[in-house]
Amino acid sequence: MLETILIVLVVAVLIVLLLASKQPETFQVTRSASMAVPPETVFVQINDLQKWEAWSPWAKLDPNAKNSFSGPQAGVGASMSWAGNNKVGEGSMTIIESRPHDLIRFKLDFLKPFKASNTAEFTFKSEGNNTVVVWSMYGKNNFIGKIMSLIMNCDKMVGGQFEQGLSAMKAIVEAAG
């Protein structure tokens, strides 16, 4: 009996490893929203990391998270570190590229609950009197990431948070604009 259980367990582990090995090497999550303001109005909300708390979905998941800032307040080199509950984890982000009213790119380093380094970016495109803001995150799927993708859908989970953040940002910039 014990031998049968052990064989079934080994086969199950091998199946999980085989399925994980077939998962994509990279991932990307992208969401967009149209906002009734010019690109420069939205750009300021993102380029200044100290403004993120007003619209970030993660700020609402842990209002007691400890945030710290370094470097310039906005633009290339601006950095924010956070440590919070198990819903927000621990990590840092640094603006590595900032082109006014066009693109902001971040290096994201997650420490908890899993170590990972990814890239996030916001792009801005004028459409009449509106700005279409596109928020993306992409990176490489290490083997643990591939295994995790078998049990949870990163696009739905993170994408849903991006949608909440874009909605909150839209409310802020349109109310002020």
Side-chain angles (χ1 to χ4, degrees), residues 156-171:
K156 284 185 180 174
M157 183 178 72
V158 175
Q161 292 171 328
F162 282 11
E163 290 167 5
Q164 291 171 17
L166 288 167
S167 178
M169 184 189 314
K170 175 182 173 101

Side-chain angles (χ1 to χ4, degrees), residues 39-56 67-81 93-101 103-106 122 124 169 172-173:
E40 52 271 17
T41 302
V42 186
F43 182 85
V44 170
Q45 285 295 317
I46 300 163
N47 202 47
D48 182 341
L49 299 179
Q50 294 183 33
K51 293 182 185 254
W52 278 54
E53 192 168 331
W55 57 266
S56 169
N67 298 324
S68 61
F69 301 91
S70 61
Q73 184 167 338
V76 174
S79 185
M80 176 183 153
S81 298
M93 64 182 186
T94 304
I95 297 176
I96 58 173
E97 188 174 355
S98 178
R99 295 192 313 247
H101 325 307
L103 169 95
I104 302 170
R105 185 170 289 135
F106 299 86
F122 289 84
F124 312 89
M169 184 189 314
I172 289 168
V173 298

Side-chain angles (χ1 to χ4, degrees), residues 52-123:
W52 278 54
E53 192 168 331
W55 57 266
S56 169
W58 296 281
K60 285 140 188 71
L61 289 174
D62 184 1
N64 297 317
K66 298 199 183 337
N67 298 324
S68 61
F69 301 91
S70 61
Q73 184 167 338
V76 174
S79 185
M80 176 183 153
S81 298
W82 69 88
N85 62 22
N86 61 352
K87 293 180 182 177
V88 299
E90 184 177 342
S92 66
M93 64 182 186
T94 304
I95 297 176
I96 58 173
E97 188 174 355
S98 178
R99 295 192 313 247
H101 325 307
D102 181 43
L103 169 95
I104 302 170
R105 185 170 289 135
F106 299 86
K107 179 177 189 272
L108 295 171
D109 291 308
F110 300 100
L111 301 173
K112 293 179 182 177
F114 303 103
K115 285 189 177 191
S117 287
N118 299 317
T119 302
E121 64 183 33
F122 289 84
T123 60

